[in-house]
């Protein structure tokens, strides 16, 4: 293919996201020079901050919180009632219009000395087992046998889950390279809970929500 070399007179804005931006910069030789050299990448700008200071919003899963009314998203109930599928296909209404991932959100201030809310929580009208153990366990990265053992007895019950999220994490992670080859995915170390305040905030939020 054809290779081109664009140039600019003033500045370049790189906007490829939390992972993509440092990944591109590091492969371009912009980063900690001694570490780039070890990977066989010629340093262009020695900047030790590239790839550092990664911040991510850690969360946990509260639930299933069982509900004694048939009001939540339940795959088995929907499949047993084809009229609900027809309602969605013809009118765009009914239980299939749920977002599944997040039905509502709220904010909490757990610390008296914080400027504003330090927790955002998602309320989901769906249980982790609502797919009867088909694929949710893959998303969460759990062993399927453990998943079935823990959830199988609840498969017929409606439930909601709540996810409290730390809004202003103090823990810092890192994005780095496996090699000089750009097709290799980046190495990501989120370093969750390396700062004790993040644990304290999340525990306080769990207690308030429960």
């Amino acid at each position: 293919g054809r290779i081109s070399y664009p140039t600019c007179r003033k500045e370049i804005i790189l906007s490829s996201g939390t992972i993509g931006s440092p990944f591109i910069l590091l492969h371009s030789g912009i980063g900690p020079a001694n570490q780039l050299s070890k990977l066989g990448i010629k340093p262009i700008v020695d900047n030790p901050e590239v790839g550092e200071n990664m911040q991510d919003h850690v969360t946990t899963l509260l639930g299933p919180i069982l509900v004694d009314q048939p009001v939540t998203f339940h795959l088995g109930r929907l499949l047993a009632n084809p009229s609900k599928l027809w309602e969605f296909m013809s009118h765009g209404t009914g239980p299939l219009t749920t977002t599944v991932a997040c039905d509502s959100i709220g904010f909490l201030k757990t610390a008296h000395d914080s400027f504003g809310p330090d927790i955002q929580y998602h309320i989901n009208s769906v249980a982790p087992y609502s797919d009867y153990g088909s694929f949710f366990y893959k998303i969460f990265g759990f062993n399927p046998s453990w998943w079935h053992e823990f959830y199988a007895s609840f498969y017929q019950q409606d439930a909601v889950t709540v996810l409290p999220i730390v809004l202003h994490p103090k823990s810092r992670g890192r994005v780095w390279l496996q090699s000089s080859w750009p097709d290799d995915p980046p190495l990501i170390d989120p370093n969750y809970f390396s700062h004790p305040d993040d644990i304290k905030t999340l525990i306080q939020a769990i207690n308030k929500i429960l």
Side-chain angles (χ1 to χ4, degrees):
R2 180 180 173 183
I3 298 176
S4 60
Y5 297 90
T7 60
C8 74
R9 294 192 183 94
K10 295 184 178 180
E11 66 179 0
I12 297 173
I13 298 175
L14 176 60
S15 182
S16 295
T18 303
I19 307 301
S21 292
F23 187 72
I24 292 173
L25 288 171
L26 293 168
H27 273 295
S28 301
I30 301 172
N34 61 333
Q35 296 182 52
L36 290 175
S37 297
K38 292 178 181 178
L39 291 174
I41 298 174
K42 180 181 177 182
I44 304 299
V45 176
D46 183 10
N47 187 334
E49 296 182 4
V50 176
E52 303 294 332
N53 199 39
M54 177 187 172
Q55 303 172 39
D56 196 9
H57 302 110
V58 68
T59 185
T60 189
L61 185 68
L62 299 184
I65 301 169
L66 300 181
V67 180
D68 60 2
Q69 296 291 326
V71 294
T72 66
F73 183 88
H74 195 286
L75 184 61
R77 189 164 55 235
L78 292 174
L79 293 176
N81 191 348
S83 65
K84 298 302 180 183
L85 177 61
W86 173 250
E87 179 184 359
F88 175 72
M89 298 296 292
S90 59
H91 303 293
T93 59
L96 284 173
T97 59
T98 181
T99 60
V100 177
C102 178
D103 290 291
S104 60
I105 63 172
F107 294 89
L108 286 175
K109 182 177 179 180
T110 66
H112 296 295
D113 57 349
S114 63
F115 178 73
D118 49 13
I119 287 287
Q120 177 185 16
Y121 61 91
H122 293 186
I123 301 176
N124 308 330
S125 66
V126 62
Y129 54 76
S130 63
D131 66 336
Y132 287 73
S134 302
F135 56 87
F136 278 169
Y137 75 89
K138 297 179 182 179
I139 296 174
F140 291 107
F142 284 114
N143 183 292
S145 61
W146 179 91
W147 188 266
H148 288 294
E149 181 180 352
F150 186 77
Y151 283 128
S153 61
F154 300 112
Y155 279 172
Q156 299 299 324
Q157 294 185 257
D158 283 65
V160 298
T161 52
V162 183
L163 284 79
I165 302 167
V166 179
L167 281 176
H168 310 295
K170 296 181 180 179
S171 302
R172 298 292 182 265
R174 189 186 195 216
V175 178
W176 192 240
L177 306 178
Q178 290 193 54
S179 69
S180 61
W181 187 247
D183 285 345
D184 288 337
L187 296 173
I188 303 170
D189 178 12
N191 210 20
Y192 293 135
F193 296 129
S194 57
H195 197 293
D197 283 359
D198 293 346
I199 301 175
K200 179 181 177 182
T201 298
L202 190 57
I203 290 174
Q204 289 176 332
I206 290 171
N207 288 332
K208 283 179 177 285
I209 290 169
L210 291 178

